[in-house]
Amino acid sequence: MIEELAGLERQALAAVREAKDGGALERVRVRYLGRREGLVSGLLRKLGTIDPADRPAAGAAANRTRKTLEKALDERSRELAALAEADPAHVDLTLPARRKWRGTIHPVSRVVDDIWAIFRSLGFTRARGPEVDTEWYNFVALNTPLDHPAADEQDTLYLAPGLLLRSHTSPVQIRTMERYPPPIRIVAPGMVYRRDTYDATHTPAFAQIEGLVVDEGVTFVDLKATLAEFGRRFWGPGTEVRFRPSFFPFTEPSAEVDVKRVIVRDDGSRETTDWIEVMGAGMVDPAVLENVGYDSERYTGWAFGMGPARAAMLRHGVSDLRLFYENDMRFLRQFA
Amino acid sequence: MKVSYRWLRDLAPGFELTPGQAIARLALRGSPVEDVEDLAEGLRDVVIGQVLEARPHPNADRLTLCRVAGPEGEVPVVCGAPVVHEGAFYPFAPVGAVLPGGFRIGKRKIRGEVSQGMLCSESELGLGEDHAGIMLLEGEYEAGASFARAAGLADHRFDVEVTPNRGDLLSHVGIARELHPEGQAAIELPAFPLGADGSGGGSGVDPGFARGGSESTSAGVGIAIEDPALCPRYLGAVIRGVAVGDSPRWLTDRLRAAGARPVNNVVDATNYVMLELGQPLHAFDLARLDDATIVVGRANPGEALVTLDGEERSVTPEMLMIRDAHRPVAIAGVMGGRDSEVSEATRDILLECALFEPKQVRATRRALGMSTDASYRFERGVDPTTMETAVRRAAALIVATAGGRLDGEIIDACPVPWKQPRVTLRPGRVKHLLGVGFTSGEIVRLLLPLGYEVVEQAGDAGDALEFLVPGHRSYDTLREVDLIEEVARAYGYDTFPEALAPFRPGTVPDHPLFQLEDRLRALLAADGISEAQTPALGPAGSGDVALLNPMSAEESALRRDRLTGVLGHVERNMARGVRDVRLFELGTAFAPAPEGPPAESARVAAVLTGRRAPVQWSDAGDGFDVYDIARVLELIATEVSHEWRVVPCGGAGENGPELPRRVGGLFVPGRWYAVRGPGGEIVGWGGEIAPAAMDLPRWAGAVVGAEVVLPDRPAPKAAATASELPGHPASQRDVAFLLPVGAAAGDVLRSARAGGGQLLEAVELFDLYEGGDLPPGSRSLAVRLRFRARGRTLTDREVDKAFRRVLTRVKEETGVEPRS
């Protein structure tokens, strides 16, 4: 009995020391000294069942234990009260964090950045050119005679006869090659303009990004390899990339690049999309190289063009292109 | 190009692709199908019904009471047609069927008689205009069978995207040739006249040709070509005694399946052959051609003609006309004239099958602001080798459907006989461009099915191959590289390996303006501002760079600045109830130039309005003010150049004569800053936007905005030189300056800095106080001055001395004294 009491006392004192607040302390008191369920009280009730000769000693021991525990509880309670008083700047960490406005980068810029990051790792630099350009740079130098139906594919906004808003970023190809000798390895992001009215998939001004590689020994195999590598990196693991014949006046052979993406949903399920057309590409037409004074027998090249806004639509599940240019704060702030 | 799948199948015996396979193959060949229409879909519920019994409705004169055998046995049907043949077959819509227009057939009682279904007219099925009578089906059918299948209407219509270089795909033969592995060799044109279902038929017309140069005559009709460069060949067939009327059902069905509208049997025949072979044709009413003469020549000045669409067209001498003895009767390759149009009164016709030079047709139709099926094909190049087939087929079809007979030989004026182009191909160049080597034999095998023939004698260019280009590719395959593309296409783009090759670094440096823009973007986003993007098009103001051909007044000029565009976004956001707007934008501004292109400059613009921080428990929720835009300007200026300074501009009243015109009135007077470059030039501006400059709701708070012109090619900023950290303690002195009305805080701070000399490490403005016991309008500026020396601890005496120097300097330069 006395040994049992000693054991209980040790346990109880430890529990008192560990109690971190008034509530916990009260629970310790009830557990050991509670009138009905308390462990010490329970032992006291068993006094009648032991040898009468041992009863006085056991009773005294039990009282001592109770007194010791009461004293410890009292002390700990004062201690806790003192602690609370000693921390006048008690911090309530459940209050919301202090917030500042968070700025966001436009989703289309972000796509351009991501495209650039991939091409940068493949040895590309960035080039730029004017948004107002001449028919020579926008069409003729790019092997697109104005009397050919191919010139209709892009309905162009004019400022004056011969002077236009570039309908694609491809004039940067010409301007760059005029200024620098091969090897050329550039991407050219920028705004381009078409005579389109606003609808869910058209705006009169939109972003485009162009790529150009010219050097000795550059082939269609390089084009495929580089753009397939880009496609898989940009569109994510599991992406399939497909090349289809197409026509652009400034490339030959020309290709349309399609991707089939794997979309991983929030619940972990996967879905493979249909083929989606994401860029145009091709081997630079020798006529284009000759137009900038490059020897087309010695140098070959490839080029691509894609629309970052369309990529941003696919990436973020945006079904109306106009949202990107309305600049509603509630829309833009979703891209934090 | 709208294509009927069944038509394709009928042109190439052994064509076994399903619609889905054909679509996939077209995509991989470079002509993706943009849209597919299942033509039988609307007719899904319509079946063949046989009328077993027909008698007049007892209670109505014009109705017929029928017993119709359909899919579920015999049912009573009340029919709106007065004449219904017993034993005949009709399209039948049973109860529950939905017709193409969405009309659902129900069980009805009509004048006391039960009707369980409907016998349909052409118009009810969307098959024609005829709604007078129900559609009688000729031949024997199984009652209850699918009507669409039994009537040969089960078909798919593809809308094929044809690139501008592939004029040869603007026909069913062209598409079938593209789809079939054997190419042209697989094509077999069915002969006319065809049976009711469009198949079979006897031998057609097989006339000879009256060959001539610039001129030729037959059957009393003469054709002369005055401008052979623009019209190398003109064929004419004279058919006399035609009866113009409706085309047979198979023909109208086929035209509709390919998206064309039937007109009459003569016009339908020309359209049919155009859709089949790609050769545009035109039929003239021969009686309307003066002197039965055709002259292909330029328009005379001041001439005009009314075209088939009823428009009067003024034509110019640059345009090529088809003329009779006196006047233009058609615009060559574009559209015929109304005056010589085939009509029901027409007995004799002249069928035109000509070749026109693509650029001429393009220039003419553009000048006239029109585009037709014919001009579309001529612009993209019509196969010169198909002409004879086309004219014979069209003549045969007209004779088969409109009667009459071909008179004489086909008139063939051909001043410039077609010469088949030859293109030389070096196998080494194929590898050079494509990265995969092919032997001569492989190249020949790849190109043969596309119609290219190799010329045996390869000439003296080593192993070079010389190819003859087929007529249908003769506009596009002109150079070696064009043939190499054909090799790549035939080989299959997907067959090429994807081996990443080593590369040399390029010679083009990464453009520094992109780098600066990247940094600004990150900097401003980190300051809590969101990036916007605005098209550089806006409404035209005076002096703006205007567009020649704008789409709308709202987008008719180029923006001269970027700030006003961003302010427009604030207005739009506020109109939607969004009060907290923080936007920046990077973009181009366009300034008019006296000559040549406008001057472009890269800009960054920013705008702030609403609360300075999100609503929260620890914050009073102050709104943005002009000092916030000062910070944004400082962020930008510091990022661009160490030499750029943000300076407050003007007292009250002065409002920046140096500012760009548009921006000048934008700010509240006395509440704006300029960014000045090293030469004092203004490169940016920002401040509180004048309320009159914007259209804002009454509850809107202050709006502050800024714009900075970025250098075209920013110079790299010099790397910062690190200074050693101080090793000795600093001493501080606090002082409150009393600023009278009109004194500038900035002047006091500047004088304080100047007065402290080398020992003064920092001047910190830590409080600004006004009101209370201060004289009205004056402010108390609480400043902490921190003094420190390198290598030693300052004595109190030294600090006091320096502190007094500061006070003296401030007093001398600004007249401001510490508060006593």
Side-chain angles (χ1 to χ4, degrees):
Chain A
M1 180 91 172
I2 291 174
E3 278 146 34
E4 256 184 273
L5 270 171
L8 271 183
E9 187 177 317
R10 271 198 308 280
Q11 277 177 29
L13 287 174
V16 166
R17 275 194 304 277
E18 277 160 27
K20 290 278 186 290
D21 57 49
L25 204 59
E26 178 60 14
R27 282 193 295 279
V28 173
R29 195 190 66 76
V30 171
R31 179 172 163 81
Y32 292 96
L33 300 180
R35 211 171 293 161
R36 257 182 289 175
E37 309 280 328
L39 296 171
V40 178
S41 319
L43 266 184
L44 278 173
R45 274 198 294 278
K46 282 198 272 177
L47 267 183
T49 65
I50 62 171
D51 188 342
D54 293 338
R55 275 181 210 168
N63 271 325
R64 269 201 309 278
T65 298
R66 200 185 57 202
K67 289 226 167 72
T68 310
L69 287 184
E70 276 169 353
K71 193 174 161 228
L73 282 164
D74 221 38
E75 276 173 7
R76 181 65 184 158
S77 170
R78 276 199 298 276
E79 219 172 272
L80 285 173
L83 267 176
E85 253 170 55
D87 186 8
H90 172 66
V91 173
D92 181 359
L93 296 182
T94 63
L95 278 172
R98 181 163 294 123
R99 294 188 302 150
K100 288 184 170 183
W101 290 122
R102 173 158 189 192
T104 51
I105 289 178
H106 195 279
V108 175
S109 295
R110 220 172 251 267
V111 166
V112 172
D113 281 353
D114 292 349
I115 294 169
W116 155 235
I118 294 168
F119 280 102
R120 179 185 198 170
S121 77
L122 295 168
F124 285 70
T125 53
R126 287 172 297 185
R128 61 196 294 153
E131 293 175 25
V132 173
D133 218 322
T134 60
E135 281 179 337
W136 166 259
Y137 284 103
N138 196 69
F139 289 120
V140 182
L142 289 159
N143 199 36
T144 315
L146 293 163
D147 54 12
H148 191 274
D152 288 353
E153 298 277 292
Q154 303 161 2
D155 206 352
T156 310
L157 289 163
Y158 277 85
L159 302 182
L163 196 65
L164 46 78
L165 279 164
R166 65 181 179 190
S167 59
H168 47 185
T169 40
S170 308
V172 181
Q173 290 188 18
I174 303 297
R175 290 181 172 277
T176 304
M177 288 191 285
E178 278 180 347
R179 185 161 169 193
Y180 298 95
I184 301 286
R185 210 169 168 80
I186 55 154
V187 288
M191 292 303 282
V192 303
Y193 302 84
R194 304 255 172 104
R195 213 163 165 273
D196 281 328
T197 42
Y198 281 95
D199 65 24
T201 53
H202 295 88
T203 51
F206 55 97
Q208 200 174 59
I209 185 163
E210 185 90 5
L212 175 70
V213 173
V214 181
D215 199 357
E216 291 172 1
V218 172
T219 71
F220 188 68
V221 170
D222 295 324
L223 174 157
K224 269 195 78 176
T226 313
L227 293 183
E229 173 71 15
F230 163 76
R232 284 185 292 265
R233 283 209 224 166
F234 182 81
W235 294 106
T239 298
E240 290 175 67
V241 183
R242 168 175 96 166
F243 294 78
R244 281 188 292 115
S246 189
F247 170 75
F248 306 105
F250 34 94
T251 53
E252 183 130 31
S254 300
E256 212 54 83
V257 185
D258 299 341
V259 295
K260 199 178 244 194
R261 301 160 61 205
V262 176
I263 296 174
V264 183
R265 292 229 185 70
D266 290 342
D267 63 2
S269 64
R270 284 157 183 277
E271 186 204 353
T272 305
T273 66
D274 275 340
W275 289 109
I276 310 160
E277 201 175 298
V278 291
M279 60 164 80
M283 299 302 295
V284 180
D285 195 293
V288 174
L289 297 175
E290 295 296 331
N291 281 338
V292 297
Y294 281 13
D295 178 358
S296 68
E297 282 291 308
R298 182 174 166 197
Y299 296 107
T300 48
W302 56 264
F304 74 88
M306 73 178 278
R310 190 175 141 65
M313 286 173 83
L314 290 171
R315 180 189 265 193
H316 299 293
V318 172
S319 58
D320 193 326
L321 185 61
R322 286 169 288 196
L323 278 170
F324 288 134
Y325 303 106
E326 283 177 359
N327 301 303
D328 189 311
M329 285 302 290
R330 295 166 298 179
F331 178 74
L332 295 176
R333 293 190 66 208
Q334 295 175 32
F335 304 99
Chain B
M1 167 77 189
K2 295 213 167 39
V3 175
S4 151
Y5 165 74
R6 277 176 63 102
W7 198 337
L8 293 180
R9 282 181 47 149
D10 292 348
L11 286 170
F15 181 100
E16 277 164 359
L17 303 176
T18 62
Q21 288 170 327
I23 288 166
R25 196 176 171 104
L26 279 171
L28 287 177
R29 304 283 293 184
S31 306
V33 172
E34 289 179 323
D35 191 29
V36 190
E37 217 177 316
D38 181 350
L39 299 183
E41 201 181 339
L43 301 173
R44 212 177 27 224
D45 300 336
V46 181
V47 297
I48 299 284
Q50 186 176 22
V51 175
L52 302 175
E53 190 191 331
R55 58 192 168 87
H57 192 291
N59 308 321
D61 289 345
R62 309 179 63 90
L63 300 181
T64 311
L65 208 57
C66 308
R67 204 153 51 77
V68 175
E72 284 160 21
E74 296 171 20
V75 290
V77 172
V78 177
C79 181
V83 183
V84 180
H85 302 284
E86 286 189 357
F89 297 91
Y90 296 96
F92 175 58
V95 171
V98 178
L99 292 183
F103 180 67
R104 178 179 282 276
I105 307 293
K107 185 174 168 180
R108 294 169 62 197
K109 215 169 202 180
I110 302 170
R111 300 240 175 153
E113 295 290 336
V114 171
S115 181
Q116 297 185 27
M118 185 168 100
L119 297 172
C120 307
S121 71
E122 285 187 5
S123 74
E124 282 155 352
L125 298 175
L127 297 175
E129 318 291 314
D130 186 2
H131 52 85
I134 52 176
M135 182 178 172
L136 177 66
L137 300 173
E138 285 168 26
E140 287 294 317
Y141 299 89
E142 184 197 334
S146 153
F147 162 71
R149 205 164 304 137
L153 295 170
D155 198 356
H156 287 80
R157 184 192 293 144
F158 302 161
D159 195 349
V160 183
E161 184 189 333
V162 176
T163 52
N165 61 325
R166 295 301 303 271
D168 62 304
L169 297 182
L170 298 172
S171 70
H172 282 76
V173 162
I175 302 269
R177 183 168 52 207
E178 185 78 356
L179 280 173
H180 204 285
E182 287 166 43
Q184 179 71 42
I187 304 296
E188 273 180 40
L189 301 179
F192 300 121
L194 302 180
D197 60 351
S199 66
S203 66
V205 179
D206 195 12
F209 286 77
R211 311 275 184 196
S214 293
E215 294 179 23
S216 181
T217 309
S218 181
V221 177
I223 294 173
I225 298 172
E226 288 180 348
D227 212 328
L230 301 185
C231 176
R233 194 176 187 191
Y234 192 111
L235 303 178
V238 178
I239 303 170
R240 297 192 190 271
V242 298
V244 177
D246 288 343
S247 292
R249 166 114 245 132
W250 72 264
L251 180 52
T252 55
D253 283 349
R254 188 129 282 188
L255 290 175
R256 279 206 191 87
R261 192 175 57 85
V263 181
N264 60 46
N265 44 17
V266 173
V267 173
D268 291 352
T270 60
N271 282 335
Y272 179 89
V273 173
M274 177 182 74
L275 293 174
E276 182 179 64
L277 294 169
Q279 168 72 52
L281 299 154
H282 182 67
F284 294 100
D285 184 337
L286 188 54
R288 314 285 299 197
L289 299 180
D290 286 359
D291 296 352
T293 294
I294 286 287
V295 178
V296 185
R298 308 287 188 130
N300 292 323
E303 271 182 331
L305 87 160
V306 177
T307 42
L308 285 174
D309 53 7
E311 297 281 321
E312 171 152 351
R313 313 269 179 185
S314 299
V315 290
T316 62
E318 292 84 52
M319 300 176 181
L320 191 69
M321 296 291 124
I322 312 300
R323 318 175 60 88
D324 63 9
H326 301 107
R327 61 200 170 122
V329 292
I331 301 166
V334 182
M335 193 179 267
R338 193 168 63 177
D339 207 37
S340 53
E341 183 183 5
V342 169
S343 69
E344 285 187 12
T346 302
R347 301 299 301 157
D348 302 339
I349 61 173
L350 174 70
L351 181 65
E352 167 197 291
C353 174
L355 199 59
F356 298 111
E357 196 275 325
K359 289 176 182 167
Q360 157 69 21
V361 173
R362 176 173 165 78
T364 301
R365 73 104 189 139
R366 277 171 70 93
L368 293 172
M370 60 196 295
S371 177
T372 62
D373 287 341
S375 69
Y376 196 81
R377 285 173 172 79
F378 281 121
E379 272 186 66
R380 285 157 179 78
V382 168
D383 183 356
T385 64
T386 307
M387 294 179 73
E388 293 184 13
T389 310
V391 73
R392 276 201 304 246
R393 257 179 105 60
L397 186 49
I398 289 170
V399 170
T401 63
R405 63 183 174 80
L406 193 66
D407 188 9
E409 291 180 309
I410 287 171
I411 312 155
D412 180 1
C414 182
V416 187
W418 184 67
K419 211 165 141 254
Q420 188 165 19
R422 290 165 178 240
V423 176
T424 304
L425 178 69
R426 295 163 295 167
R429 178 70 174 171
V430 177
K431 176 151 202 300
H432 189 223
L433 207 60
L434 300 184
V436 170
F438 296 90
T439 65
S440 299
E442 285 167 341
I443 292 171
V444 171
R445 271 195 297 283
L446 286 169
L447 293 182
L448 214 56
L450 303 184
Y452 296 92
E453 289 171 65
V454 67
V455 180
E456 290 302 331
Q457 300 300 322
D460 44 327
D463 62 349
L465 298 163
E466 194 173 19
F467 285 92
L468 286 168
V469 178
H472 64 274
R473 299 291 285 134
S474 61
Y475 295 86
D476 187 43
T477 307
L478 306 169
R479 306 167 299 162
E480 182 180 45
V481 68
D482 302 324
L483 265 185
I484 293 174
E485 176 175 55
E486 294 284 59
V487 171
R489 236 164 40 89
Y491 184 61
Y493 282 12
D494 276 353
T495 321
F496 285 88
E498 281 173 15
L500 209 50
F503 56 84
R504 299 196 284 173
T507 55
V508 185
D510 192 45
H511 199 293
L513 185 49
F514 280 123
Q515 298 176 1
L516 175 61
E517 286 176 339
D518 287 348
R519 295 197 304 270
L520 289 173
R521 201 176 269 124
L523 190 69
L524 294 170
D527 196 49
I529 315 176
S530 286
E531 188 189 9
Q533 284 195 359
T534 325
L537 301 169
S542 72
D544 281 348
V545 182
L547 299 180
L548 271 188
N549 56 342
M551 289 296 285
S552 71
E554 283 305 298
E555 283 114 25
S556 59
L558 293 173
R559 294 186 184 281
R560 290 181 79 168
D561 69 275
R562 301 302 298 199
L563 179 54
T564 47
V566 184
L567 293 178
H569 299 322
V570 174
E571 291 170 358
R572 218 167 358 264
N573 270 283
M574 287 197 174
R576 294 172 174 189
V578 180
R579 304 166 178 242
D580 296 317
V581 184
R582 302 160 309 284
L583 292 171
F584 74 93
E585 174 169 299
L586 290 153
T588 307
F590 302 82
E595 261 177 66
E600 295 182 25
S601 56
R603 306 282 180 98
V604 55
V607 66
L608 304 169
T609 184
R611 286 176 296 241
R612 198 172 284 149
V615 175
Q616 55 195 321
W617 51 272
S618 65
D619 200 301
D622 287 345
F624 284 114
D625 62 23
V626 75
Y627 302 109
D628 292 293
I629 207 65
R631 177 191 69 250
V632 171
L633 280 170
E634 281 172 5
L635 280 174
I636 295 169
T638 314
E639 191 57 51
V640 175
S641 165
H642 290 309
E643 295 178 316
W644 283 15
R645 295 280 172 268
V646 179
V647 291
C649 275
E654 188 200 333
N655 206 11
E658 292 169 274
L659 282 186
R661 180 184 55 84
R662 267 280 187 74
V663 178
L666 211 52
F667 300 119
V668 175
R671 292 199 186 170
W672 59 279
Y673 302 86
V675 183
R676 289 187 187 273
E681 72 280 12
I682 290 189
V683 292
W685 43 88
E688 184 175 335
I689 307 296
M694 294 182 74
D695 181 14
L696 294 179
R698 276 218 311 264
W699 45 258
V703 178
V704 291
E707 176 166 14
V708 174
V709 184
L710 302 177
D712 291 337
R713 268 194 112 77
K717 282 208 302 184
T721 307
S723 51
E724 223 176 296
L725 296 180
H728 291 82
S731 300
Q732 292 175 355
R733 293 287 187 276
D734 289 354
V735 58
F737 291 106
L738 183 66
L739 269 67
V741 179
D747 294 344
V748 172
L749 296 173
R750 193 167 46 247
S751 296
R753 273 187 209 102
Q758 290 207 326
L759 296 183
L760 180 61
E761 188 180 73
V763 177
E764 289 164 345
L765 174 61
F766 66 90
D767 192 29
L768 182 67
Y769 173 74
E770 50 195 316
D773 55 344
L774 296 182
S778 50
R779 295 174 294 165
S780 167
L781 221 55
V783 175
R784 176 161 298 161
L785 304 165
R786 198 163 68 231
F787 299 93
R788 199 197 302 262
R790 294 229 153 256
R792 64 195 173 89
T793 304
L794 286 172
T795 63
D796 277 355
R797 277 188 47 151
E798 285 175 297
V799 175
D800 287 343
K801 213 171 136 194
F803 181 54
R804 279 197 301 276
R805 274 206 312 274
V806 168
L807 299 185
T808 311
R809 181 74 169 254
V810 169
K811 172 91 175 26
E812 280 171 1
E813 289 184 358
T814 68
V816 170
E817 293 186 76
R819 274 175 86 185
S820 45

